[in-house]
């Protein structure tokens, strides 16, 4: 049976996790590409040396935390359904809190700061939609 059945409803938990992470990565790579095209340098200073935030970094910072959270939610939600509700609050909150914690303090140019902040913000609705799909899978 196909992982996608009954319209566009995802039926397999691993498929929901994979699609959620893939969507987040693709959206954030597109946002990063637009920021680059708009002139963002995506360079900040760490310990006196310049550090570049490239597409691989954006993909990794989008995929890894979301993958960990989605896998934990998929594994625990059947036994403790309340964890899905917790995840629906915590996941977007963490995505948004990382903007003032990680992005704003760095010495990026304005375009890079706005672009990377938007990358963090996009993880909020993607994580919520992924968790809601996971709840139905």
């Amino acid at each position: 049976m196909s992982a996608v059945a009954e319209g566009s409803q995802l039926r397999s938990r691993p498929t929901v996790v994979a699609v959620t992470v893939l969507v987040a990565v693709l959206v954030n790579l597109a946002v990063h590409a637009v920021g680059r095209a708009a002139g963002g340098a995506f360079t900040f200073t760490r310990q006196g040396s310049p550090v570049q935030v490239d597409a691989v970094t954006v993909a990794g910072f989008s995929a890894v935390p979301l993958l960990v959270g989605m896998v934990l939610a998929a594994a625990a939600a059947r036994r403790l359904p309340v964890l899905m509700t917790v995840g629906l609050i915590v996941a977007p909150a963490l995505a948004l809190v990382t903007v003032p914690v990680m992005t704003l303090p760095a010495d990026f140019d304005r375009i890079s700061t706005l672009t990377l902040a938007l990358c963090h913000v996009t993880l909020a609705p993607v994580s919520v939609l992924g968790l809601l799909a996971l709840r139905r899978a």
Side-chain angles (χ1 to χ4, degrees):
M1 177 171 196
S2 171
V4 178
E6 299 174 25
S8 63
Q9 184 176 13
L10 298 174
R11 304 292 290 174
S12 158
R13 287 177 172 264
T15 301
V16 170
V17 171
V19 168
T20 301
V21 172
L22 181 62
V23 166
V25 169
L26 292 176
V27 167
N28 280 345
L29 287 175
V31 170
H32 183 259
V34 169
R36 278 258 191 239
F42 295 90
T43 303
F44 69 100
T45 307
R46 182 174 55 202
Q47 298 177 346
S49 299
V51 177
Q52 181 75 34
V53 176
D54 58 11
V56 173
T57 306
V58 169
F61 274 55
S62 301
V64 173
L66 186 57
L67 179 62
V68 169
M70 290 294 293
V71 166
L72 289 173
R78 287 216 197 266
R79 282 177 245 125
L80 296 167
V82 70
L83 290 180
M84 192 63 72
T85 302
V86 171
L88 286 166
I89 297 165
V90 171
L94 285 174
L96 298 175
V97 164
T98 56
V99 174
V101 172
M102 293 176 66
T103 306
L104 297 181
D107 60 344
F108 289 110
D109 60 83
R110 189 171 303 215
I111 291 171
S112 299
T113 298
L114 291 172
T115 301
L116 293 172
L118 183 57
C119 285
H120 288 260
V121 170
T122 62
L123 291 176
V126 170
S127 64
V128 168
L129 292 174
L131 288 168
L132 290 173
L134 197 57
R135 180 186 272 175
R136 292 185 302 271

